[in-house]
Each structure stands twice: as structure tokens, then as C-alpha cells.
Amino acid sequence: MADFPAHPDEVSAAWLGAQIGAQVEGRCSVSTTDMAFGVLDTKNVTRVDTNATVSVSCAGLLTFFRLTMDWGQNASGEQRRIKNASNDYLPYEVYRNNNRTQRWGQRNSESRTGVILLGIGNEDFEAYGRLSGITPSTPKGRYTDQLTVTITF
């Protein structure tokens, strides 16, 4: 993420990539784009939505797979949180749908599934992020977290 000038009314927040945590036997690979919430104007914003893409490619004639996502390095229970250098936290969530009603998590009911035929092409999945809990008193700083996406096939 690029460095931004410090403004008293802004907080820099980002999800800096997703660490890929999969045991793959040479059949499938997963890549992600970063999910960045950007520089926040804490006086005028209470939540921010953004997207990222999770891409899967597999070799073989027919590959069925499931994608799960952990709660992140800074989670409190199952609440995902981004953290700054002063150990201040902001809650966020990642969803499977654009309406942000279906959480993307570790359970089968919170996962994404797909199939790739003949090892041709990728299957892309959008990850819909929502950062909330932003107030005028939100501590300033760069907030980050890292998630692990796991593919099971």
C-alpha cells in the first residue's frame, strides 16, 4: 500500500493481501488481490466497503474444490479486526456476496465451492469487505491484518 500524507482527520486502513495457506499436491493454486480500505475521513465515514478477488486454477480433468478463509491474525474469537502499531483495532468482515449478508469463513456453510473442467482457465471469486466502527475518535495509524485462504479439493 502506498504511503499517504498524514492528515489529522484521516486514518490509513488496509487489508494487505491474503497469505495463502493451502497444502496443494501440485493440482491447484490460489492467488488473491489486496483488499484495501484506503485512507479514511473519520469525521464523515462510519464504514467502508471494498472488494478483492480470489483466483483458483487447477490441473486435471475435473476438480471440485472448496475455499475457506480464517478469521485473520488479529481476530477476537470470530470477529475479524485490523490493528495499528499502537494495538488499536477496527472490526471488519469479509463476505461472499455483494449485499454483504453471507460471511466468508471457516465452516462449510461459510465457504465458496467451485469446479474446474479439463484444467482450463481460472475460477474467480469476489471477496466483499466491510470495515466498520469508524468514529471521529478512531486512533490514527495504518491498520492491517492478514487472512489465510485454504483450498480443499
Side-chain angles (χ1 to χ4, degrees), residues 1-7 10-17 34-40 141-144:
M1 182 172 181
D3 288 326
F4 296 98
H7 297 287
E10 295 179 344
V11 174
S12 176
W15 168 36
L16 296 178
D34 291 344
M35 181 176 285
F37 293 102
V39 177
L40 310 177
R142 182 171 296 213
Y143 289 71
T144 62

Side-chain angles (χ1 to χ4, degrees), residues 95-108:
Y95 298 93
R96 297 173 284 145
N97 66 328
N98 190 37
N99 291 335
R100 291 167 172 82
T101 58
Q102 299 172 0
R103 186 178 197 200
W104 195 337
Q106 294 181 329
R107 295 178 192 87
N108 284 344

Side-chain angles (χ1 to χ4, degrees), residues 74-95:
N74 301 308
S76 176
E78 294 183 5
Q79 174 60 64
R80 292 182 171 117
R81 304 181 305 172
I82 55 176
K83 177 178 84 165
N84 69 11
S86 299
N87 292 322
D88 300 307
Y89 297 90
L90 287 173
Y92 76 96
E93 193 51 77
V94 180
Y95 298 93

Side-chain angles (χ1 to χ4, degrees), residues 25-139:
E25 300 169 351
R27 283 187 53 190
C28 295
S29 64
V30 178
S31 62
T32 64
T33 60
D34 291 344
M35 181 176 285
F37 293 102
V39 177
L40 310 177
D41 176 355
T42 59
K43 288 187 177 180
N44 298 309
V45 174
T46 58
R47 74 177 194 204
V48 176
D49 291 344
T50 192
N51 298 355
T53 302
V54 178
S55 297
V56 176
S57 38
C58 298
L61 295 177
L62 180 65
T63 305
F64 294 92
F65 61 89
R66 178 177 306 280
L67 290 171
T68 58
M69 194 176 290
D70 74 357
W71 309 123
Q73 292 179 340
N74 301 308
S76 176
E78 294 183 5
Q79 174 60 64
R80 292 182 171 117
R81 304 181 305 172
I82 55 176
K83 177 178 84 165
N84 69 11
S86 299
N87 292 322
D88 300 307
Y89 297 90
L90 287 173
Y92 76 96
E93 193 51 77
V94 180
Y95 298 93
R96 297 173 284 145
N97 66 328
N98 190 37
N99 291 335
R100 291 167 172 82
T101 58
Q102 299 172 0
R103 186 178 197 200
W104 195 337
Q106 294 181 329
R107 295 178 192 87
N108 284 344
S109 62
E110 299 171 332
S111 67
R112 299 292 307 261
T113 59
V115 61
I116 295 180
L117 300 171
L118 305 173
I120 299 173
N122 293 341
E123 187 159 357
D124 292 337
F125 299 88
E126 283 299 305
Y128 301 93
R130 174 166 286 164
L131 177 67
S132 58
I134 305 162
T135 68
S137 62
T138 296

